[in-house]
Short mmCIF file of all heavy atoms in Angstrom, two decimals:
data_model
loop_
_atom_site.label_atom_id
_atom_site.label_comp_id
_atom_site.label_asym_id
_atom_site.label_seq_id
_atom_site.Cartn_x
_atom_site.Cartn_y
_atom_site.Cartn_z
N GLY A 1 -30.04 -70.80 -5.72
CA GLY A 1 -28.72 -70.27 -5.59
C GLY A 1 -28.22 -69.59 -6.85
O GLY A 1 -27.79 -68.46 -6.81
N ASP A 2 -28.26 -70.29 -7.99
CA ASP A 2 -27.75 -69.72 -9.23
C ASP A 2 -28.62 -68.57 -9.72
O ASP A 2 -28.11 -67.58 -10.25
CB ASP A 2 -27.65 -70.79 -10.32
CG ASP A 2 -26.54 -71.78 -10.04
OD1 ASP A 2 -25.60 -71.42 -9.30
OD2 ASP A 2 -26.60 -72.91 -10.58
N THR A 3 -29.93 -68.71 -9.55
CA THR A 3 -30.84 -67.64 -9.97
C THR A 3 -30.61 -66.38 -9.15
O THR A 3 -30.64 -65.27 -9.69
CB THR A 3 -32.30 -68.11 -9.82
OG1 THR A 3 -32.47 -69.33 -10.54
CG2 THR A 3 -33.26 -67.08 -10.37
N LEU A 4 -30.34 -66.54 -7.87
CA LEU A 4 -30.07 -65.39 -7.01
C LEU A 4 -28.79 -64.69 -7.44
O LEU A 4 -28.76 -63.46 -7.55
CB LEU A 4 -29.96 -65.84 -5.55
CG LEU A 4 -29.61 -64.75 -4.54
CD1 LEU A 4 -30.71 -63.72 -4.46
CD2 LEU A 4 -29.35 -65.37 -3.18
N LYS A 5 -27.74 -65.46 -7.72
CA LYS A 5 -26.47 -64.87 -8.15
C LYS A 5 -26.63 -64.14 -9.49
O LYS A 5 -26.07 -63.07 -9.68
CB LYS A 5 -25.40 -65.95 -8.29
CG LYS A 5 -24.93 -66.51 -6.97
CD LYS A 5 -23.91 -67.60 -7.17
CE LYS A 5 -23.53 -68.24 -5.85
NZ LYS A 5 -22.59 -69.35 -6.03
N GLU A 6 -27.40 -64.74 -10.39
CA GLU A 6 -27.63 -64.11 -11.69
C GLU A 6 -28.41 -62.81 -11.52
O GLU A 6 -28.10 -61.80 -12.16
CB GLU A 6 -28.40 -65.07 -12.59
CG GLU A 6 -28.60 -64.55 -13.99
CD GLU A 6 -29.32 -65.56 -14.87
OE1 GLU A 6 -29.42 -66.74 -14.49
OE2 GLU A 6 -29.78 -65.15 -15.94
N GLY A 7 -29.41 -62.81 -10.67
CA GLY A 7 -30.19 -61.60 -10.40
C GLY A 7 -29.34 -60.50 -9.78
O GLY A 7 -29.48 -59.33 -10.13
N ILE A 8 -28.46 -60.87 -8.88
CA ILE A 8 -27.56 -59.90 -8.26
C ILE A 8 -26.63 -59.28 -9.30
O ILE A 8 -26.42 -58.07 -9.33
CB ILE A 8 -26.76 -60.56 -7.11
CG1 ILE A 8 -27.68 -60.86 -5.94
CG2 ILE A 8 -25.60 -59.68 -6.67
CD1 ILE A 8 -27.05 -61.71 -4.85
N ASN A 9 -26.08 -60.12 -10.19
CA ASN A 9 -25.19 -59.60 -11.23
C ASN A 9 -25.92 -58.69 -12.21
O ASN A 9 -25.36 -57.69 -12.66
CB ASN A 9 -24.52 -60.76 -11.98
CG ASN A 9 -23.46 -61.43 -11.14
OD1 ASN A 9 -22.87 -60.82 -10.27
ND2 ASN A 9 -23.24 -62.71 -11.39
N ILE A 10 -27.15 -59.02 -12.55
CA ILE A 10 -27.94 -58.16 -13.44
C ILE A 10 -28.19 -56.81 -12.77
O ILE A 10 -28.03 -55.76 -13.38
CB ILE A 10 -29.27 -58.85 -13.82
CG1 ILE A 10 -28.99 -60.02 -14.75
CG2 ILE A 10 -30.23 -57.85 -14.47
CD1 ILE A 10 -30.19 -60.90 -15.02
N ASN A 11 -28.55 -56.83 -11.51
CA ASN A 11 -28.81 -55.59 -10.79
C ASN A 11 -27.55 -54.74 -10.65
O ASN A 11 -27.60 -53.52 -10.76
CB ASN A 11 -29.42 -55.87 -9.43
CG ASN A 11 -30.86 -56.27 -9.52
OD1 ASN A 11 -31.54 -55.96 -10.49
ND2 ASN A 11 -31.34 -56.99 -8.52
N LEU A 12 -26.40 -55.38 -10.42
CA LEU A 12 -25.15 -54.63 -10.33
C LEU A 12 -24.79 -53.99 -11.67
O LEU A 12 -24.31 -52.86 -11.72
CB LEU A 12 -24.02 -55.53 -9.85
CG LEU A 12 -24.06 -55.94 -8.38
CD1 LEU A 12 -22.96 -56.95 -8.07
CD2 LEU A 12 -23.94 -54.73 -7.49
N GLY A 13 -25.02 -54.73 -12.76
CA GLY A 13 -24.76 -54.18 -14.09
C GLY A 13 -25.65 -52.99 -14.39
O GLY A 13 -25.20 -51.98 -14.93
N LEU A 14 -26.92 -53.09 -14.04
CA LEU A 14 -27.84 -51.97 -14.27
C LEU A 14 -27.52 -50.78 -13.38
O LEU A 14 -27.67 -49.63 -13.79
CB LEU A 14 -29.29 -52.43 -14.05
CG LEU A 14 -29.82 -53.43 -15.08
CD1 LEU A 14 -31.20 -53.91 -14.67
CD2 LEU A 14 -29.84 -52.81 -16.47
N LEU A 15 -27.05 -51.04 -12.16
CA LEU A 15 -26.64 -49.96 -11.27
C LEU A 15 -25.45 -49.22 -11.85
O LEU A 15 -25.42 -47.98 -11.86
CB LEU A 15 -26.29 -50.52 -9.89
CG LEU A 15 -25.75 -49.51 -8.87
CD1 LEU A 15 -26.84 -48.52 -8.49
CD2 LEU A 15 -25.22 -50.22 -7.65
N GLU A 16 -24.47 -49.95 -12.36
CA GLU A 16 -23.31 -49.32 -12.98
C GLU A 16 -23.70 -48.55 -14.23
O GLU A 16 -23.16 -47.49 -14.51
CB GLU A 16 -22.24 -50.36 -13.32
CG GLU A 16 -21.29 -50.62 -12.21
CD GLU A 16 -20.64 -49.37 -11.64
OE1 GLU A 16 -20.15 -48.51 -12.40
OE2 GLU A 16 -20.63 -49.24 -10.42
N LEU A 17 -24.63 -49.09 -15.01
CA LEU A 17 -25.12 -48.39 -16.19
C LEU A 17 -25.75 -47.06 -15.79
O LEU A 17 -25.50 -46.02 -16.42
CB LEU A 17 -26.12 -49.25 -16.96
CG LEU A 17 -26.74 -48.63 -18.21
CD1 LEU A 17 -25.67 -48.32 -19.24
CD2 LEU A 17 -27.79 -49.56 -18.79
N GLY A 18 -26.53 -47.07 -14.73
CA GLY A 18 -27.12 -45.83 -14.22
C GLY A 18 -26.06 -44.85 -13.75
O GLY A 18 -26.17 -43.64 -13.97
N ASN A 19 -25.01 -45.34 -13.11
CA ASN A 19 -23.93 -44.47 -12.64
C ASN A 19 -23.18 -43.84 -13.81
O ASN A 19 -22.83 -42.65 -13.77
CB ASN A 19 -22.94 -45.26 -11.77
CG ASN A 19 -23.54 -45.65 -10.44
OD1 ASN A 19 -24.51 -45.08 -9.98
ND2 ASN A 19 -22.96 -46.65 -9.82
N VAL A 20 -22.94 -44.62 -14.87
CA VAL A 20 -22.24 -44.10 -16.04
C VAL A 20 -23.10 -43.05 -16.74
O VAL A 20 -22.61 -41.97 -17.10
CB VAL A 20 -21.86 -45.24 -17.00
CG1 VAL A 20 -21.42 -44.71 -18.35
CG2 VAL A 20 -20.77 -46.09 -16.40
N ILE A 21 -24.38 -43.32 -16.91
CA ILE A 21 -25.27 -42.36 -17.56
C ILE A 21 -25.37 -41.10 -16.73
O ILE A 21 -25.37 -39.98 -17.26
CB ILE A 21 -26.66 -42.99 -17.80
CG1 ILE A 21 -26.54 -44.08 -18.88
CG2 ILE A 21 -27.68 -41.95 -18.20
CD1 ILE A 21 -27.79 -44.89 -19.07
N SER A 22 -25.44 -41.23 -15.43
CA SER A 22 -25.48 -40.07 -14.55
C SER A 22 -24.21 -39.24 -14.65
O SER A 22 -24.27 -38.00 -14.70
CB SER A 22 -25.69 -40.53 -13.11
OG SER A 22 -25.66 -39.45 -12.22
N ALA A 23 -23.07 -39.91 -14.70
CA ALA A 23 -21.80 -39.19 -14.82
C ALA A 23 -21.69 -38.48 -16.17
O ALA A 23 -21.18 -37.37 -16.25
CB ALA A 23 -20.63 -40.15 -14.64
N LEU A 24 -22.20 -39.12 -17.23
CA LEU A 24 -22.16 -38.49 -18.55
C LEU A 24 -23.14 -37.32 -18.64
O LEU A 24 -22.89 -36.35 -19.35
CB LEU A 24 -22.47 -39.51 -19.63
CG LEU A 24 -21.41 -40.57 -19.89
CD1 LEU A 24 -21.94 -41.64 -20.81
CD2 LEU A 24 -20.16 -39.93 -20.47
N ALA A 25 -24.25 -37.40 -17.92
CA ALA A 25 -25.27 -36.36 -17.98
C ALA A 25 -24.85 -35.08 -17.27
O ALA A 25 -25.37 -34.01 -17.58
CB ALA A 25 -26.57 -36.87 -17.37
N THR A 26 -23.89 -35.16 -16.36
CA THR A 26 -23.46 -33.96 -15.66
C THR A 26 -22.71 -33.02 -16.58
O THR A 26 -22.68 -31.82 -16.34
CB THR A 26 -22.56 -34.31 -14.45
OG1 THR A 26 -21.43 -35.02 -14.91
CG2 THR A 26 -23.33 -35.11 -13.43
N GLY A 27 -22.10 -33.56 -17.64
CA GLY A 27 -21.43 -32.72 -18.62
C GLY A 27 -20.01 -32.33 -18.27
O GLY A 27 -19.35 -31.65 -19.03
N ARG A 28 -19.51 -32.74 -17.12
CA ARG A 28 -18.14 -32.42 -16.71
C ARG A 28 -17.26 -33.64 -16.87
O ARG A 28 -16.86 -34.27 -15.91
CB ARG A 28 -18.12 -31.91 -15.28
CG ARG A 28 -18.87 -30.61 -15.10
CD ARG A 28 -18.71 -30.08 -13.72
NE ARG A 28 -19.29 -31.03 -12.77
CZ ARG A 28 -19.10 -30.98 -11.47
NH1 ARG A 28 -18.34 -30.04 -10.95
NH2 ARG A 28 -19.65 -31.86 -10.66
N LYS A 29 -16.95 -33.99 -18.11
CA LYS A 29 -16.17 -35.20 -18.38
C LYS A 29 -14.72 -35.06 -17.94
O LYS A 29 -14.08 -36.03 -17.60
CB LYS A 29 -16.23 -35.53 -19.86
CG LYS A 29 -17.60 -35.91 -20.33
CD LYS A 29 -17.58 -36.19 -21.81
CE LYS A 29 -18.99 -36.42 -22.32
NZ LYS A 29 -19.04 -36.58 -23.75
N ASP A 30 -14.17 -33.84 -17.96
CA ASP A 30 -12.77 -33.66 -17.63
C ASP A 30 -12.47 -33.81 -16.15
O ASP A 30 -11.41 -34.27 -15.77
CB ASP A 30 -12.28 -32.29 -18.12
CG ASP A 30 -13.11 -31.16 -17.55
OD1 ASP A 30 -14.32 -31.35 -17.37
OD2 ASP A 30 -12.55 -30.09 -17.28
N SER A 31 -13.41 -33.48 -15.28
CA SER A 31 -13.14 -33.53 -13.85
C SER A 31 -13.64 -34.82 -13.19
O SER A 31 -13.36 -35.05 -12.03
CB SER A 31 -13.79 -32.33 -13.15
OG SER A 31 -15.20 -32.42 -13.28
N GLN A 32 -14.37 -35.64 -13.93
CA GLN A 32 -14.92 -36.85 -13.35
C GLN A 32 -14.58 -38.04 -14.24
O GLN A 32 -14.81 -38.02 -15.44
CB GLN A 32 -16.43 -36.73 -13.20
CG GLN A 32 -17.06 -37.88 -12.49
CD GLN A 32 -18.55 -37.65 -12.30
OE1 GLN A 32 -19.11 -36.70 -12.82
NE2 GLN A 32 -19.18 -38.51 -11.55
N PHE A 33 -14.04 -39.08 -13.66
CA PHE A 33 -13.67 -40.28 -14.41
C PHE A 33 -14.90 -41.15 -14.62
O PHE A 33 -15.62 -41.45 -13.67
CB PHE A 33 -12.59 -41.05 -13.65
CG PHE A 33 -12.11 -42.26 -14.37
CD1 PHE A 33 -11.32 -42.13 -15.50
CD2 PHE A 33 -12.45 -43.52 -13.94
CE1 PHE A 33 -10.88 -43.25 -16.18
CE2 PHE A 33 -12.02 -44.64 -14.60
CZ PHE A 33 -11.22 -44.50 -15.73
N ILE A 34 -15.15 -41.53 -15.87
CA ILE A 34 -16.29 -42.39 -16.18
C ILE A 34 -15.84 -43.85 -16.03
O ILE A 34 -14.90 -44.29 -16.67
CB ILE A 34 -16.78 -42.14 -17.63
CG1 ILE A 34 -17.02 -40.65 -17.89
CG2 ILE A 34 -18.04 -42.95 -17.91
CD1 ILE A 34 -18.05 -40.01 -17.01
N THR A 35 -16.54 -44.59 -15.18
CA THR A 35 -16.13 -45.96 -14.85
C THR A 35 -16.83 -46.97 -15.75
O THR A 35 -17.77 -47.64 -15.34
CB THR A 35 -16.44 -46.26 -13.39
OG1 THR A 35 -17.84 -46.03 -13.16
CG2 THR A 35 -15.64 -45.39 -12.45
N TYR A 36 -16.36 -47.09 -16.99
CA TYR A 36 -16.93 -48.07 -17.91
C TYR A 36 -16.53 -49.49 -17.54
O TYR A 36 -17.24 -50.43 -17.84
CB TYR A 36 -16.44 -47.80 -19.34
CG TYR A 36 -16.99 -46.54 -19.96
CD1 TYR A 36 -16.15 -45.47 -20.23
CD2 TYR A 36 -18.32 -46.43 -20.29
CE1 TYR A 36 -16.64 -44.32 -20.81
CE2 TYR A 36 -18.82 -45.29 -20.87
CZ TYR A 36 -17.98 -44.24 -21.14
OH TYR A 36 -18.47 -43.10 -21.71
N ARG A 37 -15.39 -49.67 -16.90
CA ARG A 37 -14.85 -51.01 -16.66
C ARG A 37 -15.44 -51.71 -15.45
O ARG A 37 -15.09 -52.84 -15.17
CB ARG A 37 -13.33 -50.92 -16.49
CG ARG A 37 -12.66 -50.45 -17.73
CD ARG A 37 -11.18 -50.47 -17.57
NE ARG A 37 -10.54 -49.89 -18.74
CZ ARG A 37 -9.25 -49.77 -18.88
NH1 ARG A 37 -8.45 -50.21 -17.94
NH2 ARG A 37 -8.75 -49.24 -19.96
N ASN A 38 -16.32 -51.08 -14.72
CA ASN A 38 -16.90 -51.70 -13.53
C ASN A 38 -17.93 -52.77 -13.85
O ASN A 38 -18.32 -53.53 -12.98
CB ASN A 38 -17.52 -50.65 -12.62
CG ASN A 38 -16.48 -49.82 -11.92
OD1 ASN A 38 -15.30 -50.11 -12.00
ND2 ASN A 38 -16.91 -48.77 -11.26
N SER A 39 -18.40 -52.83 -15.08
CA SER A 39 -19.43 -53.78 -15.44
C SER A 39 -19.22 -54.24 -16.87
O SER A 39 -18.76 -53.49 -17.72
CB SER A 39 -20.81 -53.10 -15.31
OG SER A 39 -21.81 -53.88 -15.90
N LYS A 40 -19.58 -55.49 -17.16
CA LYS A 40 -19.48 -55.99 -18.53
C LYS A 40 -20.44 -55.23 -19.44
O LYS A 40 -20.13 -54.96 -20.59
CB LYS A 40 -19.81 -57.48 -18.57
CG LYS A 40 -18.75 -58.35 -17.97
CD LYS A 40 -19.13 -59.81 -18.08
CE LYS A 40 -18.09 -60.69 -17.42
NZ LYS A 40 -18.46 -62.10 -17.48
N LEU A 41 -21.61 -54.87 -18.92
CA LEU A 41 -22.61 -54.16 -19.71
C LEU A 41 -22.10 -52.79 -20.14
O LEU A 41 -22.21 -52.43 -21.32
CB LEU A 41 -23.91 -54.01 -18.91
CG LEU A 41 -25.05 -53.27 -19.57
CD1 LEU A 41 -25.52 -54.01 -20.81
CD2 LEU A 41 -26.20 -53.10 -18.59
N THR A 42 -21.53 -52.03 -19.23
CA THR A 42 -21.02 -50.71 -19.58
C THR A 42 -19.78 -50.80 -20.45
O THR A 42 -19.53 -49.93 -21.28
CB THR A 42 -20.72 -49.87 -18.33
OG1 THR A 42 -19.83 -50.59 -17.47
CG2 THR A 42 -22.00 -49.54 -17.58
N ARG A 43 -19.00 -51.87 -20.30
CA ARG A 43 -17.82 -52.07 -21.15
C ARG A 43 -18.24 -52.33 -22.60
O ARG A 43 -17.66 -51.81 -23.53
CB ARG A 43 -17.00 -53.24 -20.62
CG ARG A 43 -15.72 -53.46 -21.35
CD ARG A 43 -14.74 -52.35 -21.03
NE ARG A 43 -13.46 -52.69 -21.64
CZ ARG A 43 -12.59 -51.79 -22.03
NH1 ARG A 43 -12.85 -50.53 -21.84
NH2 ARG A 43 -11.48 -52.15 -22.57
N ILE A 44 -19.29 -53.13 -22.77
CA ILE A 44 -19.79 -53.41 -24.12
C ILE A 44 -20.40 -52.16 -24.74
O ILE A 44 -20.23 -51.90 -25.93
CB ILE A 44 -20.83 -54.55 -24.06
CG1 ILE A 44 -20.16 -55.87 -23.70
CG2 ILE A 44 -21.59 -54.68 -25.38
CD1 ILE A 44 -21.12 -56.99 -23.39
N LEU A 45 -21.11 -51.37 -23.95
CA LEU A 45 -21.80 -50.18 -24.46
C LEU A 45 -20.94 -48.91 -24.40
O LEU A 45 -21.45 -47.82 -24.61
CB LEU A 45 -23.09 -49.94 -23.66
CG LEU A 45 -24.15 -51.02 -23.79
CD1 LEU A 45 -25.29 -50.72 -22.83
CD2 LEU A 45 -24.65 -51.11 -25.21
N GLN A 46 -19.65 -49.03 -24.15
CA GLN A 46 -18.79 -47.87 -23.96
C GLN A 46 -18.82 -46.92 -25.16
O GLN A 46 -18.96 -45.72 -24.99
CB GLN A 46 -17.36 -48.33 -23.69
CG GLN A 46 -16.40 -47.19 -23.45
CD GLN A 46 -15.01 -47.68 -23.08
OE1 GLN A 46 -14.78 -48.87 -22.98
NE2 GLN A 46 -14.11 -46.76 -22.88
N ASP A 47 -18.69 -47.44 -26.36
CA ASP A 47 -18.70 -46.58 -27.54
C ASP A 47 -20.05 -45.90 -27.73
O ASP A 47 -20.12 -44.72 -28.08
CB ASP A 47 -18.34 -47.38 -28.79
CG ASP A 47 -16.88 -47.77 -28.81
OD1 ASP A 47 -16.06 -47.06 -28.18
OD2 ASP A 47 -16.55 -48.78 -29.46
N SER A 48 -21.12 -46.63 -27.50
CA SER A 48 -22.46 -46.06 -27.67
C SER A 48 -22.74 -44.98 -26.62
O SER A 48 -23.30 -43.94 -26.93
CB SER A 48 -23.52 -47.15 -27.55
OG SER A 48 -23.35 -48.11 -28.57
N LEU A 49 -22.35 -45.23 -25.39
CA LEU A 49 -22.62 -44.28 -24.31
C LEU A 49 -21.71 -43.05 -24.41
O LEU A 49 -22.13 -41.95 -24.08
CB LEU A 49 -22.42 -44.95 -22.95
CG LEU A 49 -23.41 -46.05 -22.60
CD1 LEU A 49 -22.94 -46.77 -21.35
CD2 LEU A 49 -24.79 -45.49 -22.41
N GLY A 50 -20.49 -43.25 -24.85
CA GLY A 50 -19.53 -42.16 -24.91
C GLY A 50 -19.69 -41.25 -26.11
O GLY A 50 -19.00 -40.24 -26.23
N GLY A 51 -20.57 -41.59 -27.04
CA GLY A 51 -20.80 -40.74 -28.19
C GLY A 51 -19.87 -41.02 -29.35
O GLY A 51 -19.71 -40.18 -30.23
N ASN A 52 -19.25 -42.19 -29.39
CA ASN A 52 -18.33 -42.53 -30.46
C ASN A 52 -18.97 -43.44 -31.51
O ASN A 52 -18.28 -44.19 -32.18
CB ASN A 52 -17.09 -43.22 -29.89
CG ASN A 52 -16.32 -42.31 -28.98
OD1 ASN A 52 -16.29 -41.11 -29.19
ND2 ASN A 52 -15.71 -42.87 -27.97
N SER A 53 -20.27 -43.39 -31.64
CA SER A 53 -20.93 -44.26 -32.61
C SER A 53 -22.11 -43.52 -33.22
O SER A 53 -22.54 -42.48 -32.72
CB SER A 53 -21.40 -45.55 -31.94
OG SER A 53 -22.37 -45.25 -30.97
N ASN A 54 -22.61 -44.05 -34.31
CA ASN A 54 -23.79 -43.51 -34.96
C ASN A 54 -25.01 -44.29 -34.51
O ASN A 54 -24.94 -45.50 -34.28
CB ASN A 54 -23.67 -43.61 -36.48
CG ASN A 54 -22.57 -42.72 -37.01
OD1 ASN A 54 -22.30 -41.67 -36.47
ND2 ASN A 54 -21.92 -43.16 -38.08
N THR A 55 -26.12 -43.61 -34.42
CA THR A 55 -27.36 -44.25 -34.03
C THR A 55 -28.36 -44.12 -35.17
O THR A 55 -28.52 -43.04 -35.74
CB THR A 55 -27.96 -43.58 -32.77
OG1 THR A 55 -26.99 -43.63 -31.73
CG2 THR A 55 -29.22 -44.27 -32.32
N TYR A 56 -28.97 -45.21 -35.52
CA TYR A 56 -29.97 -45.22 -36.57
C TYR A 56 -31.31 -45.61 -35.98
O TYR A 56 -31.39 -46.41 -35.06
CB TYR A 56 -29.61 -46.23 -37.66
CG TYR A 56 -28.35 -45.88 -38.39
CD1 TYR A 56 -27.14 -46.44 -38.05
CD2 TYR A 56 -28.38 -44.95 -39.42
CE1 TYR A 56 -25.98 -46.11 -38.71
CE2 TYR A 56 -27.22 -44.61 -40.09
CZ TYR A 56 -26.03 -45.19 -39.74
OH TYR A 56 -24.88 -44.85 -40.40
N MET A 57 -32.37 -45.01 -36.53
CA MET A 57 -33.71 -45.35 -36.08
C MET A 57 -34.50 -45.85 -37.27
O MET A 57 -34.51 -45.22 -38.32
CB MET A 57 -34.41 -44.12 -35.48
CG MET A 57 -35.77 -44.42 -34.95
SD MET A 57 -36.51 -42.95 -34.23
CE MET A 57 -38.05 -42.94 -35.08
N ILE A 58 -35.13 -46.97 -37.10
CA ILE A 58 -35.97 -47.55 -38.14
C ILE A 58 -37.39 -47.56 -37.61
O ILE A 58 -37.65 -48.08 -36.52
CB ILE A 58 -35.52 -48.97 -38.50
CG1 ILE A 58 -34.10 -48.95 -39.04
CG2 ILE A 58 -36.48 -49.59 -39.50
CD1 ILE A 58 -33.51 -50.31 -39.26
N ALA A 59 -38.29 -46.97 -38.36
CA ALA A 59 -39.70 -46.90 -37.93
C ALA A 59 -40.55 -47.63 -38.96
O ALA A 59 -40.42 -47.40 -40.16
CB ALA A 59 -40.14 -45.45 -37.79
N CYS A 60 -41.41 -48.49 -38.50
CA CYS A 60 -42.36 -49.17 -39.37
C CYS A 60 -43.71 -48.49 -39.19
O CYS A 60 -44.31 -48.57 -38.12
CB CYS A 60 -42.45 -50.65 -39.00
SG CYS A 60 -40.92 -51.53 -39.22
N ILE A 61 -44.12 -47.77 -40.19
CA ILE A 61 -45.37 -47.01 -40.11
C ILE A 61 -46.27 -47.39 -41.27
O ILE A 61 -45.82 -47.94 -42.28
CB ILE A 61 -45.11 -45.49 -40.09
CG1 ILE A 61 -44.34 -45.08 -41.35
CG2 ILE A 61 -44.33 -45.09 -38.85
CD1 ILE A 61 -44.20 -43.60 -41.52
N SER A 62 -47.52 -47.06 -41.13
CA SER A 62 -48.47 -47.29 -42.21
C SER A 62 -49.25 -46.00 -42.45
O SER A 62 -49.28 -45.12 -41.59
CB SER A 62 -49.41 -48.43 -41.86
OG SER A 62 -50.33 -48.03 -40.87
N PRO A 63 -49.87 -45.87 -43.60
CA PRO A 63 -50.62 -44.64 -43.89
C PRO A 63 -51.97 -44.54 -43.18
O PRO A 63 -52.74 -43.62 -43.42
CB PRO A 63 -50.78 -44.69 -45.41
CG PRO A 63 -50.71 -46.11 -45.76
CD PRO A 63 -49.80 -46.75 -44.76
N ALA A 64 -52.27 -45.47 -42.28
CA ALA A 64 -53.55 -45.45 -41.57
C ALA A 64 -53.64 -44.20 -40.69
O ALA A 64 -52.64 -43.72 -40.15
CB ALA A 64 -53.71 -46.70 -40.73
N GLU A 65 -54.83 -43.68 -40.55
CA GLU A 65 -55.02 -42.46 -39.76
C GLU A 65 -54.70 -42.67 -38.29
O GLU A 65 -54.27 -41.73 -37.60
CB GLU A 65 -56.47 -41.99 -39.92
CG GLU A 65 -56.70 -40.61 -39.32
CD GLU A 65 -58.07 -40.05 -39.64
OE1 GLU A 65 -58.55 -40.25 -40.77
OE2 GLU A 65 -58.64 -39.43 -38.75
N SER A 66 -54.85 -43.89 -37.79
CA SER A 66 -54.54 -44.16 -36.38
C SER A 66 -53.05 -44.03 -36.10
O SER A 66 -52.63 -43.84 -34.96
CB SER A 66 -55.03 -45.53 -35.98
OG SER A 66 -54.35 -46.53 -36.74
N ASN A 67 -52.20 -44.11 -37.11
CA ASN A 67 -50.76 -43.97 -36.94
C ASN A 67 -50.25 -42.57 -37.23
O ASN A 67 -49.06 -42.33 -37.21
CB ASN A 67 -50.02 -44.96 -37.87
CG ASN A 67 -50.28 -46.38 -37.48
OD1 ASN A 67 -50.35 -46.71 -36.31
ND2 ASN A 67 -50.43 -47.23 -38.47
N TYR A 68 -51.14 -41.66 -37.54
CA TYR A 68 -50.74 -40.31 -37.91
C TYR A 68 -50.19 -39.55 -36.76
O TYR A 68 -50.57 -39.46 -35.70
CB TYR A 68 -51.93 -39.57 -38.53
CG TYR A 68 -51.59 -38.20 -39.00
CD1 TYR A 68 -50.71 -38.01 -40.04
CD2 TYR A 68 -52.16 -37.09 -38.40
CE1 TYR A 68 -50.38 -36.74 -40.48
CE2 TYR A 68 -51.84 -35.83 -38.83
CZ TYR A 68 -50.95 -35.64 -39.87
OH TYR A 68 -50.62 -34.39 -40.31
#
């Protein structure tokens, strides 16, 4: 019972994340309302998804030829 409810909530959160990314990808932010509040996941990631944050990438590389 609890595992099923948890799985359903995870799937709903991922569905809403997909809907938000899809709405942002269309590029028409003024004519379409972005529904960040429909899921806890999208509410937490609102700043990152909306472009109001900086993104950093850290890469661990070595000088080996296989990593070239």
Side-chain angles (χ1 to χ4, degrees):
D2 289 337
T3 306
L4 177 65
K5 289 178 185 177
E6 184 178 346
I8 289 171
N9 287 333
I10 290 171
N11 285 337
L12 288 174
L14 292 174
L15 176 67
E16 272 307 313
L17 179 62
N19 290 340
V20 167
I21 291 172
S22 176
L24 290 171
T26 59
R28 296 186 298 167
K29 294 179 187 175
D30 57 325
S31 65
Q32 186 176 8
F33 182 72
I34 309 299
T35 56
Y36 291 112
R37 296 184 186 181
N38 287 352
S39 168
K40 289 181 182 179
L41 179 63
T42 55
R43 184 71 174 151
I44 291 170
L45 295 174
Q46 181 176 359
D47 288 334
S48 298
L49 293 170
N52 296 327
S53 64
N54 294 328
T55 303
Y56 295 97
M57 183 179 128
I58 299 173
C60 297
I61 57 172
S62 72
E65 190 172 321
S66 63
N67 294 322
Y68 183 66

